[in-house]
Amino acid sequence: MISETLILVADDNQEIRDFLEEALETLGGYSVHSVGDGLSALTLVHELQPDLLITDQQMPNLSGIELIHRVRADYPALPVILMTGESSEALAVDALRVGATDYLVKPFDPDELLETVDQSLELAQKLRTSILQAMSGIEGEDEEDQQPGTMPDHLESAASVLFDLDEVLSGAVDTAVRLTGAEEGSLLLLDEVSGELHMRASKNFDDEFASTFRVHVEDSLAGQVISHGEPIILDENAPQKIKTSYLVHSLLYVPLKVRGKVIGVLGIDNRTPGKTLNDEDRAILMAMADYAALAIENAQLYIRSDNERLQLETILREVQNSVVVIDMDHRIIMMNQSAQEIIETEADPVGMNVEDVFKDPKLLALVMDSGENPEREELELGDGRVFGAVRTPIAGVGQAIVMQDISHLKELDRIKSEFVTAVSHDLRSPLTAILGYIELVQRAGPVNDNQRDFIQRVQTSVVQISDLISDLLDLSRIEAGLDTTKVVTDISKIIRDSVKGAEHYAQAEGIHLEMNIPEDLGFVYGDPIRLRQMIGNLLENGVKYSYGEGVVSVEAETEDDQVIIRVQDYGTGIPRADQPKIFDRFFRASNVPEELPGTGLGLSIVKSILDNHYGRIWLESTHGEGTTFTVVLPLHIPEDPQ
Ligand code: ADP
């Protein structure tokens, strides 16, 4: 049976590779993969994640020592055996210094090979087991499934995460000391503001010393590890004077890296002379440093996201607008207090389906609309308040509904409409008198040409004022909902009547009206006078803005349960920038000459009539080429007589 244990062999000599494969597979029962150069070996270590690496020293691209150095950075616990052709003491020391587990001097026989391989694998296994045991000890027996350094689910606040992090870091230092047999251990973290390292966790240091310990990055050994990102191992044999703020005889520091950035140092040391630290200790310490760094990174992430969540929650709670966030399946993700008051939910609505929570049919329809553009709706509450609700789709989340109390704006609007109605009414009588007396002036006696011209101008102006007053009155009546005369109406007849009504004006302006509508378009439920006025306004505009040239056509069709009416002209068109404001009261596009009569209210009336009939309108227009207004009205579907 082929063993699961995979050994990667790197040697540029084919015969040696064959020999190793043969010996390791047939005699040792290992799986073997071999390559001929150092760079390929490095790539394969990442790809295959072998259990052991055996490498030659002399290789193209990357030497054995360089390969070990590079592999060690990512895989501190991977055992590596270096093969050398020369029995050089110095090379062996170099190999062990960069992290080789053992070395073989060529020539070696199969027994020697297998013995070295077995020993290295055994050592690595022991190391792994003791680290794993140490880790599970730190994290508690019941959390075996947890990834090293991840935060347990039950943690609810940043404070408990920090408390837990302290335990994890102390555990990491404890384990490092226990596994290496060192006398003391410390975990130093860098304070970026002061540039000092302080002791975040320690083992066998005096508590007061640990809590007040500070060294500067620039003039300390630990600082060198921070600056260079490389481990430092020193003992009495090493010629360098050990610069720490306490007296030690041997010391090992490894960097703590979070996303490639060194944020601290994990260290062990001995104060007793004669005790040394070796590469195995370094591998243990590097593994523990990775573990501690992961825990710190997770805690940082947790605290950051927790802070952001709290901040967002506070903002949403405190804003006066009501906010509801809904997922793609129409379940409520979040609803702030103010929204809960409007929607009047009894239970906690989070997780519930909107259909079980929203009672207002308009609000429900708004939420169920799956359009990609923001939509708005007005909601009237039982207590008379009016809210403007805006639905905004959020990619990857669902949608947000923001509701704002617009009762005061509605009230202002109502007062303004009342005022306009009253004033308009009162203006009509004096206008009638002016028109009447102007008529009489002409009959009272002969007037000269000049006087006739002036009278004509007064008449035109009075007609304009009276048009404006009619439009204003119409608009305020429609908006106040005074049109209650809705009946089931034949929509083709409405269109035909409207065309007939506009014909006289079109002829006078030299425009031909075209109509293309099917005989039977169906029925709409509405006010025939207002519907005629709506189509009439669109036709008149088409004629007016064609400036005496071309045709204006009206066509209609039904689709599903609606009738679609299009009024098209080939006139002056509407500049793109003006299009969004075209239905606003008193708005006239920038390309309309000032002397052309008009109130800027016609399209507002059209829009209000359509709002009253659950219809919609939009336009397509190109400046200089013409305009098409499209109106959609719901068809009246007779109820099933059962
Ligand atoms: P007006 O009394 O000015 O015609 P409307 O409310 O009917 O007021 O129209 C508003 C503005 O929209 C007009 O002043 C004009 O600029 C533009 N407009 C409306 N219909 C057309 C059209 N068919 N072609 C070009 N411009 C149009």
Side-chain angles (χ1 to χ4, degrees), residues 541-542 544-545 569 572-574 582 587-589 592 598-604 627 629:
N541 274 351
K544 180 153 109 185
Y545 296 106
D569 67 64
T572 177
I574 301 167
I582 212 75
F587 182 81
R588 306 195 74 198
V592 171
T599 60
L601 288 173
L603 286 182
S604 308
T627 308
F629 281 94

Side-chain angles (χ1 to χ4, degrees), residues 215 378 467 483 614:
V215 286
E378 272 180 22
D467 281 352
D483 288 299
Y614 305 102

Side-chain angles (χ1 to χ4, degrees), residues 264-460:
V265 172
L266 180 63
I268 47 172
D269 61 71
N270 293 304
R271 297 206 187 209
T272 318
K275 278 193 156 190
T276 52
L277 294 163
N278 58 28
D279 291 303
E280 196 183 316
D281 298 326
R282 191 178 57 166
I284 293 173
L285 216 60
M286 281 175 77
M288 294 315 299
D290 282 351
Y291 168 71
L294 192 61
I296 292 171
E297 187 182 3
N298 279 341
Q300 282 174 345
L301 282 176
Y302 184 93
I303 289 167
R304 203 178 312 141
S305 66
D306 197 49
N307 280 344
E308 280 167 9
R309 186 179 57 80
L310 281 175
Q311 216 173 25
L312 194 68
E313 261 179 29
T314 314
I315 294 169
L316 287 177
R317 209 178 31 245
E318 299 298 325
V319 288
Q320 290 206 331
N321 287 357
S322 311
V323 185
V324 187
V325 185
I326 297 157
D327 72 11
M328 317 245 189
D329 298 325
H330 296 121
R331 273 191 311 264
I332 294 170
I333 301 174
M334 202 263 348
M335 188 188 283
N336 72 356
Q337 187 60 36
S338 156
Q340 285 191 29
E341 278 164 24
I342 298 175
I343 291 163
E344 294 177 351
T345 52
E346 283 136 31
D348 179 6
V350 172
M352 286 171 73
N353 195 295
V354 284
E355 283 174 294
D356 301 326
V357 180
F358 292 0
K359 293 164 202 127
D360 188 309
K362 275 190 182 170
L363 181 58
L364 199 56
L366 183 72
V367 175
M368 289 306 188
D369 181 349
S370 51
E372 280 171 16
N373 295 321
E375 299 278 343
R376 46 184 74 238
E377 188 59 88
E378 272 180 22
L379 312 174
E380 278 149 48
L381 264 51
D383 60 7
R385 281 184 299 164
V386 184
F387 278 79
V390 181
R391 183 188 81 94
T392 312
I394 309 174
V397 176
Q399 51 178 316
I401 307 285
V402 179
M403 291 170 280
Q404 195 180 15
D405 190 343
I406 53 165
S407 312
H408 58 295
L409 295 177
K410 281 280 165 197
E411 182 59 11
L412 265 181
D413 214 33
R414 193 188 58 76
I415 295 170
K416 198 179 63 193
S417 293
E418 266 180 22
F419 172 76
V420 169
T421 314
V423 172
S424 310
H425 246 282
D426 291 353
L427 277 177
R428 283 210 148 166
S429 313
L431 275 180
T432 317
I434 294 172
L435 265 186
Y437 281 112
I438 288 278
E439 265 310 306
L440 289 181
V441 167
Q442 299 184 82
R443 294 185 194 179
V447 285
N448 65 28
D449 288 349
N450 227 355
Q451 288 166 327
R452 188 168 301 109
D453 180 39
F454 292 160
I455 289 172
Q456 194 88 49
R457 284 172 192 236
V458 172
Q459 274 175 327
T460 312

Side-chain angles (χ1 to χ4, degrees), residues 215-255:
V215 286
H216 209 275
V217 173
E218 271 156 25
D219 49 35
S220 67
L221 209 58
Q224 276 181 37
V225 178
I226 296 273
S227 314
H228 301 125
E230 296 288 337
I232 288 182
I233 189 164
L234 290 175
D235 54 34
E236 287 140 342
N237 305 324
Q240 188 173 345
K241 188 169 169 278
I242 301 181
K243 265 195 285 174
T244 63
S245 62
Y246 48 97
L247 185 69
V248 296
H249 283 273
S250 57
L251 162 149
L252 170 59
Y253 276 156
V254 298

Side-chain angles (χ1 to χ4, degrees), residues 490-492 495 517-523 556-558 563 565 635:
D490 179 352
I491 190 68
S492 8
I495 300 174
I517 53 166
E519 215 23 63
D520 181 19
L521 269 175
F523 295 86
E557 58 179 334
T558 52
V563 55
I565 306 162
L635 280 173

Side-chain angles (χ1 to χ4, degrees), residues 81 102 109-121:
I81 299 170
D102 214 333
D109 61 30
D111 287 341
E112 214 180 321
L113 167 71
L114 287 175
E115 197 182 327
T116 314
V117 165
D118 286 347
Q119 269 175 7
S120 289
L121 283 170

